[in-house]
Each structure stands twice: as C-alpha cells, then as structure tokens.
Amino acid sequence: MLGSYVFYRFIRQSFLTAFVLSLVLLSLQLSRFGSIFMSLPPSEVLKFSLLWVVFYTYFFLPDGVILATASGLMHFKENKLLHVFYSFRISNLRLFSFFLSGFLVIFLILGGFSTTLLEEKVAFVRKNLIFKYQDRLFNELPTNTFVVLGDVVVHVQEREGNELRNIFFKFGNLIVLAESLRYEGNGVFFFKKGTVFTEEEGKPLLLRFKEYTLNVNQFYKTELRKDRIRESIAINYANTLLSIPFFLLSFWFCLFRCSRATHFYLFVSFTIILHQLIIFLVKTAF
C-alpha cells in the first residue's frame, strides 16, 4: 500500500513539475514575442505551443525527479511518519525501493524518447512557422528590443510606416548596421546607408554601402540538420544519465541531512539550477 502511494505520488509530482516548468518557459517566450505570435493564426500557435510543452515536459523530467524525491521525503518527515515506518520494519532501503520504482519509470521514458523528442525538431518547426508567416511577422516587429526570428536577429529603434530606422541585423555570421531597412517580402531585405561585417575565407571583412539587398530565403534549409540532430540526441542522453546521480543525491540528502523547510527549498533550487547548468555546458561543448 505504501509502495503504491509513493509510486503514484512520485510519478504525478515529476510530471506536474516538468509540465509547470515547460509552461513557465513558454510564457517567457510568449511575453517576449507576444505581439508577433498574436499576429499568427491561432491554430498554428496552438500546434507550436503543444509541441513545445510536450518536448520541454520531457526535457524537465529530471528536475521533476529532484522535486518529487525531495518533497516526498519531506512530507514523511514533517508528518513524523518515518518513525512509524521503522516501527513496522520498513527500513531506509525498503523506502528507497519505493522511490526507485517510480524513478525507473521516469528513467525509461527519458531513455526511450531520447532519439524521438528532440530540441532540433522544435527549433525546425519554429523556423518553418516564421518563414511561412515572415511577412506578417516583420509588420509586427517591435522597436527598441532584440528579436530573434529563426536565424535572424534584429533590433530596430524607430518605425516610419514600412521603413525601419537605426538597424542592427544579424544573419549567420553576417552583421548589418544601417540607417534604414525596408522589408520587401519573401525574405528580401533592402538596407540603406550602412556597414556590413562578415567573414570571407576566415578573414574579417568590412564593407560600407549606400544600398544593400539581402535575400535570406536562399540560405533556408528545408530539412533537419544532421549535426544538430546528433547534438540533440547527445543532450537527451546526457539529461537521462544525469537523472541518476540527482535522484540518488536527492534521496540521500533529504533523508539524512534535510531537517527544515528552508533546507528543502535551498536544496531543490540549487540542484535544479546545477542540473540546468550542466546541460548548458554540454550544449556549449558542441
């Protein structure tokens, strides 16, 4: 009976935590590009949001494991149930086996979908969405903020009708600083009076211009990038393997070292941040 309760609570808490974290990340994206997303068809935004939530719920499952383990043990401690368990000859090892059964389910899910739920696929769908509705997106481009639209990074200080003023524009390794920009549609950008920074044969190149036209569609790739697919799979594997030490650490610390609610909150916050920092370092390694 106790084993079933711990198993259910562990699975529920792990998925609920991961789901909430995915919604928090999605809300940050929407708050940053709210006006842009609101200009897209609701059905397209809904499909993208659903894909985002599914992937990041999967991605944040190790953080859900940390919170589920720590909160489960703290629940038993705060209600003084551990001594009751010991009186019924439920040892720490037996209690660990109850938590382990729930963790193994999460671990199998993480491992099983490592080659299916990929961050590159989410990025690819987002880029497709941006290219499909790029004309509408650039008409809604906000001023005085950096906006990332696929591979394009743009900052605009002023807008006068269809013309944008004081431009910072980045696409790949190409950077354009210009007095004005007019978006011609279909991926074509027309700049006036500015400077282009780029690289040619590994050497930096600086060009001044009066007029400059750039068509980003000619660089657009319609297929998933194989190197990014491999990178996404490697990150998923790292995320899966990291769940093991974090689960063991959470169980040990909260059982033997965590005696106050402040200890619990500090430990959970620290370990989740540490986990995400390690994943970030893994990403930068590629």
Side-chain angles (χ1 to χ4, degrees):
M1 191 71 178
L2 177 61
S4 299
Y5 170 76
V6 172
F7 178 84
Y8 169 74
R9 179 189 173 96
F10 187 95
I11 296 295
R12 183 192 63 183
Q13 187 71 56
S14 296
F15 274 97
L16 182 61
T17 301
F19 177 69
V20 169
L21 288 174
S22 72
L23 290 181
V24 170
L25 194 59
L26 178 63
S27 66
L28 291 175
Q29 289 289 312
L30 292 178
S31 65
R32 187 179 178 186
F33 306 118
S35 60
I36 294 174
F37 275 110
M38 290 305 105
S39 67
L40 301 178
S43 60
E44 298 283 5
V45 176
L46 182 61
K47 290 176 185 176
F48 173 73
S49 299
L50 181 60
L51 176 63
W52 178 286
V53 169
V54 169
F55 170 75
Y56 280 102
T57 297
Y58 164 80
F59 179 78
F60 285 125
L61 276 176
D63 298 318
V65 165
I66 293 171
L67 185 59
T69 306
S71 65
L73 288 170
M74 282 304 296
H75 171 72
F76 293 148
K77 280 189 171 185
E78 288 178 345
N79 291 280
K80 297 179 173 57
L81 293 175
L82 287 180
H83 293 294
V84 176
F85 298 157
Y86 297 152
S87 66
F88 284 94
R89 296 184 179 181
I90 297 176
S91 64
N92 289 336
L93 185 60
R94 181 98 180 272
L95 187 62
F96 174 74
S97 70
F98 295 154
F99 281 86
L100 181 62
S101 62
F103 169 72
L104 287 176
V105 172
I106 301 297
F107 184 79
L108 289 174
I109 291 173
L110 285 168
F113 288 97
S114 291
T115 59
T116 305
L117 294 175
L118 304 176
E119 190 172 21
E120 171 61 15
K121 291 183 178 180
V122 178
F124 183 75
V125 170
R126 184 179 64 179
K127 287 179 182 179
N128 272 341
L129 191 62
I130 289 170
F131 272 92
K132 185 177 179 180
Y133 296 101
Q134 56 189 342
D135 293 0
R136 193 181 298 185
L137 291 174
F138 274 94
N139 288 333
E140 298 290 334
L141 197 68
T143 58
N144 294 310
T145 185
F146 283 94
V147 177
V148 181
L149 299 171
D151 292 326
V152 174
V153 180
V154 62
H155 182 279
V156 178
Q157 283 192 357
E158 300 175 21
R159 175 190 291 274
E160 293 182 6
N162 293 329
E163 194 167 278
L164 307 174
R165 299 281 186 177
N166 299 322
I167 306 299
F168 171 88
F169 184 96
K170 184 177 184 298
F171 180 76
N173 63 350
L174 183 142
I175 298 175
V176 181
L177 300 175
E179 288 186 10
S180 67
L181 163 65
R182 187 172 68 251
Y183 182 62
E184 303 288 346
N186 199 31
V188 178
F189 298 87
F190 182 70
F191 300 89
K192 286 185 178 180
K193 294 182 181 179
T195 306
V196 176
F197 299 88
T198 187
E199 286 186 6
E200 190 170 309
E201 298 180 353
K203 297 180 180 179
L205 184 65
L206 175 64
L207 299 172
R208 297 187 182 278
F209 61 85
K210 290 184 178 180
E211 294 182 349
Y212 176 66
T213 302
L214 174 66
N215 184 356
V216 299
N217 278 359
Q218 63 182 314
F219 304 104
Y220 175 58
K221 297 180 180 180
T222 58
E223 297 179 355
L224 291 167
R225 295 168 290 186
K226 291 183 179 180
D227 57 331
R228 292 295 179 87
I229 287 290
R230 289 192 294 269
E231 176 185 329
S232 295
I233 292 174
I235 291 169
N236 282 352
Y237 281 144
N239 200 33
T240 300
L241 293 175
L242 280 171
S243 65
I244 299 174
F246 278 107
F247 165 66
L248 296 174
L249 176 63
S250 299
F251 186 88
W252 175 83
F253 183 86
C254 291
L255 183 63
F256 297 110
R257 292 290 183 267
C258 193
S259 57
R260 298 178 182 176
T262 52
H263 296 167
F264 163 76
Y265 291 120
L266 287 173
F267 171 78
V268 169
S269 300
F270 173 78
T271 49
I272 288 178
I273 292 172
L274 178 62
H275 168 247
Q276 291 301 322
L277 178 61
I278 294 173
I279 292 297
F280 174 77
L281 292 175
V282 172
K283 288 182 178 181
T284 57
F286 289 94

